[in-house]
Amino acid sequence: MWHAVRRFSSLVLLLGSVFVSTMEVGLADELKIGLKAELTSADPHVLNGPNRNVLNHVYETLVASDGNLRPRPGLALSWRLVNPTTWEFRLRPGVKFHNGAALSAEDVKYSLERAMKLTGARTYRSYLRDVDSVSIAGPDIVHVKLKTISPTLPENLGLVAIIPHSLGDHASEESFADGKSAIGTGPYRYVQWKRGESVLLARNPDYWGPREPWDKVWLQFIPREPARAAALISGGVDIISDVPANQEASLKNFDTVSVTSYMLNYLMLDQFRDDSPYIKDANGQPLPRNPFKDLKVRQAVAHAINREGLIRFLMKADATATEQLVPKGFFGNDPTQKGLPYDVKAARGLLAQAGYPNGFRLTMHCSNNRYINDAKLCEAIAQALNQIGIKTEVAAMPFSVFLTRLAGGGANGEPEFSMALLGTGAVTGDSLTLLTAMIHSPGKGSGANNYGRYGNPAVDALIDKAGATNDADQRLQLQKQAARLALQDEAVIPLQHINVAWAMKKQLTIVPSADGFTMATQVRRK
């Protein structure tokens, strides 16, 4: 799954020294990055992907991750199970916060407890829901006691920033934003945030890890793709993120690198209501039963979609076709898992067998500003469904409106839509996250994103068993079995994993990661 270089131009190095002008790569020790999404909160315990991209320069976590989001040592050099429900983390020696204080177990305890208690709509509480208590077992030893077995706890803790306990109850959004509480252990120090414009970072000279080459890093927020490209071409920035394939021609004088990300686009089908609100018969009259409750109809939808065709004619290099929940290199990926092939004749036959020889009418909902080509992708899927007799209209809307209606816009606060294009991903690099949230039946902390209300007791049992074992090999097999069975049921219909691309000046190179973050720590001169 590692990155594919779409265009690479070699830089000839002369014996002796190489002169790089400040016009080509900014100032000698300065890096300017153009990002699509801006910082929305300076509090490192507020959950938001774009925020993490910025703040991961300043703050670190117990457990770091590699390019496939698999765990590796971070502020914790090692971790182990003391007993089935207690994890022990041993801290890295010699780490100092930006204020000069040494990292201690007390800081870890304070940080995890703060993240567990923080209120608001977007917190890390769901990732920490299995934590019962955090205790100090020594100056550099932390014990995390669980309410139940939680094999992915290390990966989950890899999302929670560690901050000094000296901040106490005074740490707030305002104090992080103005820099008073913006104290981490990371390779860069927080300097300034100009809301809606940029964040300025300065190199941490006392960083415990390798010395960073950039004295200053400017993270500039440029939401529109053409504007980001223009900033790179004009020399305003040195590297930009989220470059769509249709911009490659205008960036021919720059190097472009892409990676398949964790973000999955898939179709959600309403499988719990007898009367689904956006499905009618071929004449526009109510149907006695929701067609999507019939496996043959769901299989017909799956047969109607030509994933490779969508990539070739619409998405191009912006996505990778998939029949799975997680991409290659992730825990739970199953190379043997195959979806139903593109077959219009088979799709029509299944509809007829299910009692819909003339098809039916459907309105499909999607966002129009959240994912690359999201509205166009919906239109293409609608055309595919029309070919098999499901007369499909598309209702596209801003993501904020879409999300509200998806989550509880229907009767009794139920998900509103009959079919929708959704996006989510295994942010920890482990399929158990998706299986628990979007496949498992809703209830008892599971199925929070199971908007189609798919339910299969056999699948639930496999997911529950996977989440209750600390044996990694056993867990891997259980997760593969659960995914295979759920996808045979067409619980959801995976379409593609979004690719993330960067364009940069030829003197630079980046080591990309599946989280799609643009980190100064991954950008170097050639």
Side-chain angles (χ1 to χ4, degrees):
M1 192 198 84
W2 274 104
H3 66 286
V5 178
R6 297 207 295 258
R7 231 183 51 77
F8 182 88
S9 299
S10 61
L11 180 67
V12 178
L13 300 178
L14 300 178
L15 294 176
S17 63
V18 179
F19 174 76
V20 181
S21 76
T22 59
M23 291 298 292
E24 289 175 321
V25 193
L27 298 175
D29 298 309
E30 184 174 306
L31 180 69
K32 293 182 178 180
I33 300 173
L35 298 177
K36 178 178 182 179
E38 66 181 85
L39 186 70
T40 61
S41 172
D43 189 328
H45 292 156
V46 173
L47 175 60
N48 178 281
N51 290 356
R52 289 181 59 224
N53 190 162
V54 173
L55 299 178
N56 280 3
H57 290 85
V58 179
Y59 307 97
E60 295 179 296
T61 60
L62 287 177
V63 179
S65 60
D66 63 16
N68 288 333
L69 309 187
R70 304 306 303 129
R72 63 178 179 81
L75 292 180
L77 271 181
S78 63
W79 50 91
R80 69 183 182 95
L81 280 165
V82 177
N83 58 55
T85 57
T86 303
W87 285 91
E88 178 181 275
F89 295 85
R90 289 186 173 268
L91 303 185
R92 185 182 296 274
V95 176
K96 291 184 178 182
F97 285 100
H98 298 155
N99 62 1
L103 172 71
S104 70
E106 193 171 357
D107 301 310
V108 174
K109 183 177 188 298
Y110 165 77
S111 299
L112 297 183
E113 290 178 344
R114 181 178 188 272
M116 290 167 63
K117 297 174 184 176
L118 195 68
T119 59
R122 300 183 67 85
T123 70
Y124 290 98
R125 289 197 306 273
S126 62
Y127 290 96
L128 302 172
R129 67 179 182 272
D130 292 337
V131 177
D132 180 65
S133 63
V134 183
S135 60
I136 298 172
D140 62 348
I141 302 175
V142 176
H143 282 179
V144 180
K145 184 178 179 181
L146 305 171
K147 302 171 187 175
T148 183
I149 290 175
S150 183
T152 59
L153 180 79
E155 291 95 320
N156 291 348
L157 295 189
L159 301 173
V160 182
I162 304 302
I163 57 179
H165 72 275
S166 59
L167 294 178
D169 296 330
H170 303 295
S172 65
E173 169 58 34
E174 293 74 19
S175 67
F176 283 111
D178 65 22
K180 292 179 182 177
S181 296
I183 303 167
T185 60
Y188 291 95
R189 298 170 181 258
Y190 178 99
V191 177
Q192 184 184 48
W193 174 21
K194 291 185 178 180
R195 294 177 185 270
E197 296 183 20
S198 64
V199 167
L200 173 61
L201 307 173
R203 184 173 61 85
N204 174 15
D206 300 317
Y207 184 53
W208 60 267
R211 183 184 184 278
E212 285 294 299
W214 316 111
D215 286 338
K216 292 182 180 180
V217 173
W218 292 89
L219 300 168
Q220 300 183 16
F221 310 128
I222 312 173
R224 296 181 61 250
E225 280 78 10
R228 284 200 306 283
L232 178 62
I233 292 170
S234 68
V237 297
D238 305 311
I239 182 171
I240 59 174
S241 67
D242 297 278
V243 179
N246 61 15
Q247 284 190 340
E248 283 194 346
S250 65
L251 297 172
K252 60 183 179 180
N253 294 323
F254 299 88
D255 283 346
T256 307
V257 175
S258 72
V259 65
T260 301
S261 80
Y262 69 91
M263 181 59 71
L264 170 72
N265 279 151
Y266 66 98
L267 292 180
M268 176 279 293
L269 309 178
D270 175 3
Q271 301 182 42
F272 70 100
R273 284 175 287 217
D274 285 328
D275 181 16
S276 196
Y278 294 98
I279 301 177
K280 305 296 179 184
D281 71 11
N283 297 314
Q285 299 302 310
L287 283 166
R289 190 170 187 269
N290 174 3
F292 289 147
K293 296 185 78 170
D294 190 320
L295 175 59
K296 290 180 180 179
V297 175
R298 301 197 300 273
Q299 290 174 330
V301 172
H303 271 305
I305 297 171
N306 182 351
R307 292 175 176 84
E308 294 295 343
L310 290 173
I311 298 297
R312 186 165 59 251
F313 296 111
L314 176 62
M315 300 304 296
K316 302 186 187 306
D318 290 329
T320 300
T322 188
E323 299 169 342
Q324 300 200 41
L325 300 180
V326 294
K328 294 178 182 178
F330 279 46
F331 192 91
N333 177 274
D334 184 359
T336 67
Q337 171 64 38
K338 301 296 181 184
L340 295 177
Y342 173 56
D343 190 331
V344 173
K345 182 178 180 180
R348 289 173 176 161
L350 284 165
L351 281 181
Q353 292 174 35
Y356 305 97
N358 299 318
F360 52 86
R361 294 183 180 274
L362 167 72
T363 299
M364 175 184 178
H365 291 80
C366 66
S367 60
N368 58 13
N369 63 348
R370 178 65 177 89
Y371 312 107
I372 297 175
N373 291 330
D374 44 8
K376 291 181 179 179
L377 181 58
C378 283
E379 293 287 355
I381 292 169
Q383 292 177 21
L385 296 179
N386 281 322
Q387 287 186 335
I388 66 169
I390 301 177
K391 301 174 180 62
T392 306
E393 295 182 352
V394 171
M397 62 201 71
F399 183 69
S400 58
V401 177
F402 173 85
L403 187 60
T404 299
R405 293 177 61 183
L406 169 71
N412 303 315
E414 298 169 341
E416 178 180 345
F417 307 137
S418 299
M419 175 189 279
L421 174 71
L422 303 182
T424 190
V427 68
T428 60
D430 192 315
S431 69
L432 186 59
T433 302
L434 296 188
L435 289 168
T436 302
M438 63 182 274
I439 299 297
H440 196 289
S441 300
K444 297 182 180 180
S446 299
N449 298 327
N450 184 352
Y451 298 112
R453 297 294 194 266
Y454 165 78
N456 183 330
V459 173
D460 289 350
L462 288 167
I463 297 172
D464 291 340
K465 192 173 180 180
T469 178
N470 289 315
D471 185 318
D473 291 337
Q474 182 184 18
R475 185 163 71 86
L476 178 60
Q477 295 309 313
L478 288 167
Q479 289 174 210
K480 286 182 178 181
Q481 291 175 37
R484 189 178 302 117
L485 183 54
L487 294 178
Q488 287 173 355
D489 279 347
E490 307 300 339
V492 297
I493 300 178
L495 299 174
Q496 61 189 24
H497 282 106
I498 299 296
N499 293 344
V500 181
W502 295 262
M504 69 210 78
K505 294 179 177 180
K506 290 182 179 294
Q507 295 78 18
L508 298 178
T509 184
I510 186 173
V511 178
S513 174
D515 56 21
F517 290 171
T518 309
M519 299 292 295
T521 54
Q522 296 169 320
V523 180
R524 293 291 184 264
R525 296 189 184 91
K526 290 180 181 176

